[in-house]
Amino acid sequence: MPKHELDAYDRRILEALQKNGRLTNVELAEQIGLSPSPCLRRVRMMEEAGVIQGYEARLDPHEVGLGLTVFVGVKVERHHERDAEQFRHEVSALPEVVAAHLVSGESDFLLQVVVPDLRGYEHFLLRTLLKLPGVKDIRSNFAIQTVKPRSPLPLDHLAK
């Protein structure tokens, strides 16, 4: 269940901005069928509510020299919650970690790591990841090919 009440116009705004965050307010308003003032008001309300968290450019990792994506399962010691919290804090600060999730199953955390190559991952693993507090075990899975890159969130469940 969504935390915020979103109507059909809000949904169309979100769908349009996910496809192209560079739309001007006038272009966005025209695309969704509202006049510019109410459209801007809705966008600002969703930004303030945290529904829209920001705008960014999507980069091709290969084009910027980050040719290796690794999904890393990390098991941490559960003896001290303080250590687990420190692990979360430190992982969040690592630029190579582009996504981190607390998960169920064999691992406690699943990290998505991007590095230039295998040597870069070796360096990251040995000099950074294995030195984080509470790390007990690490399992690495190397992406061979990205079949579906990050895409817009599905919003069909918001339809009323």
Side-chain angles (χ1 to χ4, degrees):
M1 198 66 181
K3 292 172 110 176
H4 303 280
E5 195 66 35
L6 303 171
D7 65 15
Y9 284 113
D10 296 329
R11 180 176 163 220
R12 290 200 301 264
I13 288 170
L14 295 173
E15 287 172 340
L17 289 176
Q18 284 190 104
K19 290 178 185 167
N20 182 0
R22 295 184 72 177
L23 287 172
T24 67
N25 183 58
V26 172
E27 292 168 333
L28 178 61
E30 185 177 295
Q31 191 172 333
I32 66 158
L34 275 179
S35 60
S37 286
C39 181
L40 184 59
R41 226 179 355 264
R42 286 171 177 270
V43 170
R44 291 228 168 105
M45 284 176 35
M46 288 188 284
E47 288 171 346
E48 289 169 10
V51 174
I52 297 173
Q53 296 181 340
Y55 303 87
E56 61 191 36
R58 275 180 273 157
L59 308 179
D60 182 322
H62 293 279
E63 293 296 324
V64 295
L66 296 169
L68 184 62
T69 298
V70 187
F71 295 93
V72 184
V74 180
K75 232 185 216 306
V76 295
E77 299 285 347
R78 292 264 185 213
H79 301 298
H80 302 288
E81 178 56 34
R82 179 185 64 235
D83 290 342
E85 181 58 38
Q86 187 177 357
F87 175 83
R88 286 191 290 267
H89 175 73
E90 291 194 27
V91 160
S92 296
L94 298 173
E96 297 90 348
V97 177
V98 296
H101 305 275
L102 179 64
V103 296
S104 64
E106 289 184 26
S107 301
D108 299 312
F109 293 92
L110 182 62
L111 313 178
Q112 182 177 353
V113 175
V114 293
V115 290
D117 52 26
L118 192 54
R119 177 174 265 168
Y121 181 64
E122 177 186 17
H123 184 272
F124 174 75
L125 179 66
L126 297 176
R127 296 188 181 168
T128 304
L129 203 52
L130 285 171
K131 292 185 177 184
L132 292 179
V135 172
K136 181 178 177 181
D137 186 44
I138 291 177
R139 303 290 166 120
S140 304
N141 293 287
F142 298 89
I144 305 298
Q145 179 184 59
T146 300
V147 176
K148 182 178 181 182
R150 190 180 84 194
S151 58
L153 294 175
L155 300 176
D156 290 345
H157 67 286
L158 297 176
K160 293 187 179 192

